[in-house]
Every structure is written in structure tokens, then in C-alpha cells.
Amino acid sequence: EAGVAQSPRYKIIEKRQSVAFWCNPISGHATLYWYQQILGQGPKLLIQFQNNGVVDDSQLPKDRFSAERLKGVDSTLKIQPAKLEDSAVYLCASSRWEVSQYFGPGTRLLVL
Amino acid sequence: DAKTTQPPSMDCAEGRAANLPCNHSTISGNEYVYWYRQIHSQGPQYIIHGLKNNETNEMASLIITEDRKSSTLILPHATLRDTAVYYCIVRVEGSYIPTFGRGTSLIVHP
């Protein structure tokens, strides 16, 4: 079974620029999550999708972050405009049942 | 969501048992104890979970005290590849994890 795929693996941008991350979940997993992990901290949930509907986005900074999951499969997380404090690893996870979340390798973002 | 307390770091000799403690004194009756680990540059990986009985799988054992206020994750024969950050989380089964906390950084040395 292929794992959760994410791209790009690394991204360096300047503040106020825009950036987008892509995630392809494990086939058949209806639930998809985006987490933000700042250096030295544990991952924090940004948004959860069930198929193509949003279940929870209470911790998503909606003034600059947006996410979509078209057709209930792939998902894109966008930051526009980026701030220095957005430097982090952005992890995508998927699950068939929420207890068994499978994580991708993450995208490391550095905002200069 | 600070429902658990873990030591920030621990170390263990290769081949010995690694015992990682977790305090969860405010755990509710329907909340499970979950353990994940995160190896450097990878996403978190599920290890094990339990409600009140001790659990064992191919990766580790989970010992939960009778009052359920604390638990210990045991890696019976630690290897260098077990060096990682270990997260202890209490959640209702089937619910998602909003935040992982800081976890315990385990270093296994030769």
C-alpha cells in the first residue's frame, strides 16, 4: 500500500509571497488532515476533511491560509501572504478510521 | 490540550529496555491512551493504544496503571533506529488528534 505523498519536500520563499503544498492520501482514506509543526513542538492540526467537506478548521488562520480537497482525494494547502512565523513543517495525514492516522513525510517551509 | 505530561528527554543503551512514562491524571473514563513516535524528518507513526488493560504488539508494550492516571510505553530491546520523539496522547477512540504536545525525545546510544 503506497503511503501519503506530499510535494514539494522543501520550499524557501520570502515573506509576503504565496506558497502551495500538495497532498495525495492513501487510496480509500476518506479523512485527510493538515498539520503544522514548528521546530521543537509537536504537530498541531490546521484542518480536517471528511471526503471533500471540512470537519474542523478551527485552528486554521483563515486570513492567510486556505485549503481545499477537490473530488475528495488530493488536497492543497495554500498560504497567501506568508509570514516569517509560518516557517514550519507541514504534514498531511489520512485515515480510514481516525485512530489510524498515516502521515506523509511533510513539506519543510522556510520563510525569509 | 495539555492532558498529558512527559519528560522532555531520555536516553537508553542499545539492547536494553526503554521505559517511557506518561502522566494523564485527568483522563476520562472513555479516553484511550495513544502513543505515536516521530523519527527525524518523518511524520508521526502510530505505535499502540489502550484503555485500561495492558497491550502488546510487535513494536511495543503499553502498561496502564490501575487508576489509569499514568502509563508506560516499553520498547523491550531498544535499537538505534528507535531514536525518536515519542508522544503520549489521550483521546476518545475514533476522535482525531488536534495537537501532539512536545513529547519525549528518546536517544538510544551504542
Side-chain angles (χ1 to χ4, degrees):
Chain A
E1 171 176 79
V4 176
Q6 290 188 247
S7 68
R9 291 296 311 276
Y10 305 91
K11 190 73 177 180
I12 300 174
I13 62 173
E14 294 185 348
K15 60 183 180 183
R16 291 188 290 273
Q17 285 187 323
S18 301
V19 65
F21 314 127
W22 173 82
C23 172
N24 181 235
I26 293 173
S27 178
H29 283 194
T31 310
L32 185 146
Y33 315 77
W34 282 102
Y35 286 82
Q36 180 191 56
Q37 185 171 22
I38 293 172
L39 186 64
Q41 300 181 19
K44 181 187 77 172
L45 181 72
L46 292 175
I47 189 168
Q48 177 190 2
F49 291 95
Q50 181 75 19
N51 295 310
N52 60 353
V54 175
V55 175
D56 184 356
D57 62 357
S58 58
Q59 300 193 95
L60 186 73
K62 298 180 186 64
D63 58 335
R64 298 183 299 105
F65 286 65
S66 65
E68 59 183 10
R69 191 182 184 196
L70 301 176
K71 302 179 182 178
V73 181
D74 294 6
S75 177
T76 303
L77 176 69
K78 296 180 181 178
I79 307 175
Q80 181 179 10
K83 294 185 175 181
L84 297 178
E85 57 262 36
D86 298 332
S87 293
V89 176
Y90 291 86
L91 294 159
C92 179
S94 70
S95 68
R96 198 187 304 275
W97 304 107
E98 284 160 335
V99 66
S100 300
Q101 289 174 276
Y102 293 87
F103 285 81
T107 295
R108 295 180 180 275
L109 173 68
L110 178 61
V111 182
L112 302 175
Chain B
D1 199 68
K3 288 189 173 183
T4 64
T5 303
Q6 298 177 254
S9 63
M10 294 182 63
D11 70 284
C12 172
E14 188 178 21
R16 306 295 293 268
N19 299 296
L20 292 90
C22 180
N23 288 322
H24 32 79
S25 58
T26 61
I27 191 169
S28 301
N30 63 343
E31 289 182 317
Y32 285 67
V33 180
Y34 288 88
W35 283 84
Y36 279 73
R37 75 178 183 183
Q38 187 172 22
I39 295 171
H40 183 61
S41 297
Q42 298 182 21
Q45 175 192 25
Y46 166 80
I47 301 174
I48 198 167
H49 77 288
L51 183 62
K52 52 185 175 181
N53 296 323
N54 297 337
E55 302 288 343
T56 296
N57 62 21
E58 66 278 4
M59 292 182 68
S61 295
L62 173 61
I63 308 298
I64 302 173
T65 58
E66 193 169 342
D67 63 7
R68 302 210 322 124
K69 293 184 177 182
S70 66
S71 61
T72 301
L73 179 75
I74 300 173
L75 308 178
H77 306 287
T79 70
L80 300 179
R81 287 175 292 182
D82 292 322
T83 292
V85 177
Y86 287 78
Y87 298 100
C88 170
I89 299 152
V90 294
R91 303 302 301 171
V92 173
E93 188 175 41
S95 68
Y96 62 88
I97 301 170
T99 183
F100 280 69
R102 293 181 180 270
T104 295
S105 175
L106 173 69
I107 296 176
V108 180
H109 54 84

